[in-house]
Amino acid sequence: EHLRFALERGSKEMFVGREDQLGRIREYLASDSQLPLMIHGESGCGKTALIARAFQSVPEGIREIVRFLGVTPRSSDIRALLTSLCQELRAPRTIAEPLPTDIHELTQAFRQDLARAAAEQAVVLFLDALDQLSEADNGRQLFWIPSSLPDNVKLVVSCLSDRGESDPLSQPYSALQRRKLPAANVFNLDALSLADAQSLL
């Protein structure tokens, strides 16, 4: 379902402009950064479409994984999300131990599976709309995202940044701000230019 959504939203026929932003994502993927790349902006500015297009533009030789949080019911639940990611990272290898249900143990399993998968092939993980996570297990605080990504792993995330501090939907943006990401790892997505909007129409 997430792959179908990516192909639909980020197809060459539907996507217009954003060359500078796509270039910044490509630069991040080619860099040695072990921190996430955060794309933020107001609701409706095009973050999801950009993530979908970037996902389809990943260079060959890199394993790409994408989740559009909120597109499927279980993708908004942090336990279900991490379980799904672990299952995809483990495939096609067979790992005997079952995935834990405790959120902290599941977080550890996610980090271990990321490292294992990246030891075999570079991995880039796209997570769109972190603000769509439910409040269960404090998933919006992003404790489950490693402070330093494993070698050969890149993480591109998006979230809202137009909400007040008291709004629960602002929590992912605030959590990422507290990490003090370098300027190269953060960009605000503005509305489409008039020319690009006319081309899209």
Side-chain angles (χ1 to χ4, degrees), residues 8-19:
E8 178 184 285
R9 289 297 185 92
S11 67
K12 289 182 179 180
E13 294 76 19
M14 293 294 294
F15 192 87
V16 173
R18 303 297 196 193
E19 289 303 322

Side-chain angles (χ1 to χ4, degrees), residues 12-199:
K12 289 182 179 180
E13 294 76 19
M14 293 294 294
F15 192 87
V16 173
R18 303 297 196 193
E19 289 303 322
D20 289 345
Q21 291 83 3
L22 288 169
R24 288 192 62 176
I25 295 173
R26 287 192 294 269
E27 289 174 5
Y28 166 72
L29 297 184
S31 74
D32 58 1
S33 175
Q34 290 186 290
L35 299 171
L37 174 68
M38 176 176 69
I39 303 166
H40 67 91
E42 64 183 22
S43 179
C45 69
K47 299 182 295 298
T48 295
L50 180 64
I51 291 284
R53 186 72 204 129
F55 168 74
Q56 295 184 56
S57 306
V58 172
E60 289 187 14
I62 299 178
R63 183 179 181 185
E64 67 272 28
I65 298 174
V66 66
R67 294 293 185 276
F68 297 94
L69 279 60
V71 165
T72 58
R74 288 170 55 81
S75 63
S76 295
D77 177 80
I78 186 59
R79 291 179 192 243
L81 175 65
L82 292 179
T83 298
S84 170
L85 290 172
C86 287
Q87 289 169 341
E88 185 163 352
L89 287 165
R90 291 182 175 196
R93 293 173 292 115
T94 301
I95 298 179
E97 67 266 19
L99 286 167
T101 56
D102 176 80
I103 187 61
H104 299 292
E105 293 178 4
L106 188 55
T107 297
Q108 275 303 116
F110 169 61
R111 295 177 180 182
Q112 291 168 0
D113 287 337
L114 261 182
R116 283 175 184 158
E120 300 174 0
Q121 182 183 13
V123 174
V124 56
L125 176 59
F126 293 91
L127 298 177
D128 177 58
L130 293 176
D131 44 88
Q132 291 300 308
L133 280 169
S134 72
E135 294 185 86
D137 297 307
N138 292 318
R140 292 179 189 156
Q141 298 298 332
L142 309 186
F143 63 88
W144 46 276
I145 294 179
S147 56
S148 178
L149 298 171
D151 292 338
N152 291 327
V153 172
K154 291 292 185 288
L155 174 61
V156 181
V157 300
S158 74
C159 61
L160 291 173
S161 59
D162 62 344
R163 304 302 173 96
E165 292 183 6
S166 61
D167 190 329
L169 296 183
S170 70
Q171 291 173 358
Y173 179 62
S174 297
L176 287 166
Q177 279 191 310
R178 288 194 293 271
R179 298 195 181 202
K180 300 187 184 302
L181 299 174
N185 289 58
V186 179
F187 66 83
N188 181 18
L189 192 65
D190 295 322
L192 275 176
S193 68
L194 181 58
D196 285 342
Q198 289 174 329
S199 297

